[in-house]
Amino acid sequence: MKEKKILQQQILAFFDSEKENLLNLGSWFWKNPESGYREKKTSTMAIKTLQRLGLTVQQGLAITGFRTIIDTGRPGPTVAVLGELDSLIIPSHPDADPETGAVHACGHNASLTALLGTAMALAKTDLIENLCGKIVLIGCPAEEGIEMEYRLDLIRQGRIKCISGKAELICEGVFQDVDLAFMNHLSINYGYNDHNGCINKKIIFHGKSCHAAFPEEGHNALNAANLALHAIALLRESYSASDKIRIHGIISNGGDAVNVIPDTVAMEYMLRASTVQDITSLNDRFDHIVLHAAMAAECEAESESIKGSLPLYDDPELGKIMENMVQIADPGAPFDANGKYMCSCTDMGDVSVILPAIHGYVPGRSGCSHGKDYQIADPDKAYVKNAAVETLMLLELLYGNAEKAKQIATRKKDCMPIPKYIELIENLNRIASSKEM
């Protein structure tokens, strides 16, 4: 067995030699963005890259996801490394696909490139001979909570059960044998942060249409929505003591003709909070006031709840390992050790609920996250150093007898069992109706 320091230097040298390949891969994914559960080109390119390395790839997971196992042949924990496939939809971005409006303005192309770079290092060097246990590489679709109607239609067709990719992968059993997991996401610095969870809402108000010149003959569904908007605004006061709860939404359909009192109006909302208990409570109160607002306007309404992501709490020991490996891959780089709580959401939170996990950050972007000025400012950090950090973390976790991975894996027993997780999802997904009140 080689000394760990020699293997660390071998990893750094490997990524120096593979730099051009990774930069080309990252650029290809940037130029071929696809939104969630549509990532066919992205998935195909990633799978072909893995197959060229001699790896067997399980395909069609959560529609476009994939998984490959690298077995050291020696007993030990199973560590999963994740990469994300999907893009956002921002038609105003200069690099957006002209037909779909898709663009990688969250940097998932860097996450996927790092995953493939990690696979290259494991397949092309003798690193695996110095490790024990198994490494699972997972391509994850549909992290972004967008195109809700499309995803709901996939659920109605029975093709998926969850709107987010990692939740769907959990339900499909992809994480059943995994003991701990990590991934890196593109940002402006190295580090990791805990995140909110969220639930998605679709509300339909039903009234009675009539000629707008004779409104007394109808029941205005837009009035019901207007009352609901005021009630939601007043609800925020009840949560003013919390700096983590977020309530935001849109009217997705406000009527069809200006001279017709609308009989159908639709809203979409997202509720964010830092605990499952707060998400559940907020969701109950939200439904209560919205449905009663509809009744006050002499209308009816249904409120559909679709679980988005669960809150993310990073494993601190994995965080420390990441911090140490960053100093090897990028000496002197600053590291933010969970100093800033993020009110945004990621379905990596679902993974962190069922096993020890970390959602790390690496630098390399510029502009506003999810903004039209988002760019890959430092491809070397975004793609190459990103992959080096992930590979160094695997070495640290599984080197020798994998003592560090074994220690972290013991905390899986304190996490939520997958059957209970699936039950939680089923309870959060519901339809509440004013007819039942």
Side-chain angles (χ1 to χ4, degrees):
M1 181 177 292
K2 292 184 179 180
E3 291 184 12
K4 190 192 297 183
K5 286 187 177 180
I6 293 176
L7 291 169
Q8 290 171 346
Q9 293 306 310
Q10 181 179 318
I11 289 169
L12 297 181
F14 172 81
F15 283 111
D16 281 342
S17 69
E18 290 288 333
K19 180 174 180 177
E20 185 175 354
N21 286 338
L22 289 176
L23 294 180
N24 289 338
L25 260 181
S27 177
W28 190 93
F29 290 128
W30 174 268
K31 294 175 182 177
N32 291 273
E34 298 168 293
S35 59
Y37 294 127
R38 303 183 193 267
E39 312 98 329
K40 294 181 180 179
K41 290 186 298 182
T42 304
S43 182
T44 298
M45 172 62 84
I47 289 168
K48 286 183 177 178
T49 301
L50 293 170
Q51 289 174 334
R52 283 195 291 267
L53 297 171
L55 299 173
T56 301
V57 184
Q58 185 181 3
Q59 306 178 35
L61 305 173
I63 301 181
T64 51
F66 58 85
R67 165 181 155 133
T68 186
I69 301 177
I70 299 174
D71 192 343
T72 67
R74 292 170 289 279
T78 298
V79 179
V81 185
L82 281 56
E84 294 175 336
L85 308 178
D86 61 319
S87 74
L88 287 159
I89 302 292
I90 307 177
S92 61
H93 193 288
D95 294 332
D97 185 297
E99 294 183 5
T100 66
V103 65
H104 275 296
C106 200
H108 292 182
N109 64 310
S111 170
L112 180 56
T113 302
L115 179 75
L116 298 176
T118 301
M120 292 175 189
L122 294 169
K124 293 184 176 183
T125 71
D126 63 354
L127 177 62
I128 204 74
E129 298 174 10
N130 300 273
L131 309 179
C132 73
K134 297 178 182 178
I135 299 161
V136 179
L137 307 176
I138 305 174
C140 304
E143 189 275 338
E144 304 290 354
I146 61 175
E147 297 185 302
M148 196 61 59
E149 193 55 42
Y150 169 67
R151 298 188 189 193
L152 290 175
D153 191 46
L154 292 176
I155 291 175
R156 296 182 194 109
Q157 295 173 32
R159 298 182 66 189
I160 58 173
K161 295 180 180 179
C162 306
I163 62 169
S164 63
K166 296 184 190 68
E168 179 63 23
L169 291 170
I170 293 170
C171 290
E172 292 183 12
V174 173
F175 288 89
Q176 192 69 45
D177 59 345
V178 176
D179 295 304
L180 57 146
F182 66 86
M183 64 163 286
N184 288 338
H185 193 285
L186 196 59
S187 184
I188 56 174
N189 58 270
Y190 293 106
Y192 62 98
N193 307 104
D194 292 341
H195 283 255
N196 266 345
C198 69
I199 193 159
N200 297 276
K201 308 289 294 181
K202 184 172 183 179
I203 308 101
I204 307 293
F205 298 93
H206 303 283
K208 178 184 176 184
S209 60
C210 66
H211 197 297
F214 310 101
E216 68 277 5
E217 296 180 8
H219 298 288
N220 194 326
L222 188 57
N223 286 349
N226 201 351
L227 278 176
L229 289 172
H230 283 281
I232 293 166
L234 295 174
L235 176 64
R236 289 189 175 94
E237 180 183 53
S238 299
Y239 294 98
S240 57
S242 172
D243 61 348
K244 297 181 174 64
I245 287 178
R246 298 289 187 271
I247 305 170
H248 50 95
I250 60 170
I251 295 179
S252 52
N253 176 22
D256 299 305
V258 71
N259 63 344
V260 177
I261 294 295
D263 58 11
T264 304
V265 169
M267 298 197 312
E268 292 183 16
Y269 261 79
M270 183 176 284
L271 313 179
R272 304 181 193 256
S274 60
T275 68
V276 172
Q277 182 179 357
D278 281 348
I279 291 172
T280 302
S281 171
L282 178 59
N283 193 42
D284 289 343
R285 296 185 71 182
F286 183 94
D287 280 352
H288 189 75
I289 64 169
V290 166
L291 298 180
H292 276 88
M295 295 167 65
E298 299 181 290
C299 294
E300 296 177 348
E302 297 96 36
S303 178
E304 183 173 8
S305 302
I306 310 104
K307 196 232 52 143
S309 304
L310 294 185
L312 167 70
Y313 288 95
D314 295 292
D315 184 272
E317 285 191 49
L318 279 171
K320 188 63 179 177
I321 288 172
M322 181 187 179
E323 183 175 6
N324 292 337
M325 296 308 102
V326 163
Q327 292 309 310
I328 295 172
D330 197 357
F335 190 91
D336 181 7
N338 211 9
K340 179 183 178 183
Y341 186 90
M342 303 288 283
C343 288
S344 55
C345 307
T346 168
D347 59 4
M348 191 64 176
D350 292 62
V351 178
S352 76
V353 165
I354 64 166
L355 50 83
I358 184 173
H359 180 266
Y361 284 103
V362 297
R365 74 161 172 88
S366 63
C368 178
S369 178
H370 290 215
K372 66 179 183 179
D373 61 345
Y374 188 104
Q375 292 289 333
I376 306 296
D378 190 333
D380 179 60
K381 289 186 186 294
Y383 308 139
V384 185
K385 292 225 169 18
N386 189 351
V389 169
E390 290 189 347
T391 309
L392 287 166
M393 288 182 67
L394 285 173
L395 171 63
E396 189 70 9
L397 286 163
L398 296 177
Y399 179 74
N401 293 322
E403 290 303 322
K404 290 189 177 180
K406 289 177 181 177
Q407 181 181 358
I408 295 171
T410 60
R411 291 197 284 281
K412 184 179 179 180
K413 68 181 185 303
D414 301 320
C415 295
M416 185 181 295
I418 290 177
K420 188 175 180 181
Y421 167 86
I422 294 173
E423 181 182 349
L424 173 63
I425 289 179
E426 291 173 347
N427 290 335
L428 288 173
N429 293 340
R430 71 182 192 202
I431 298 178
S433 173
S434 59
K435 293 180 181 179
E436 301 169 355
M437 303 186 74

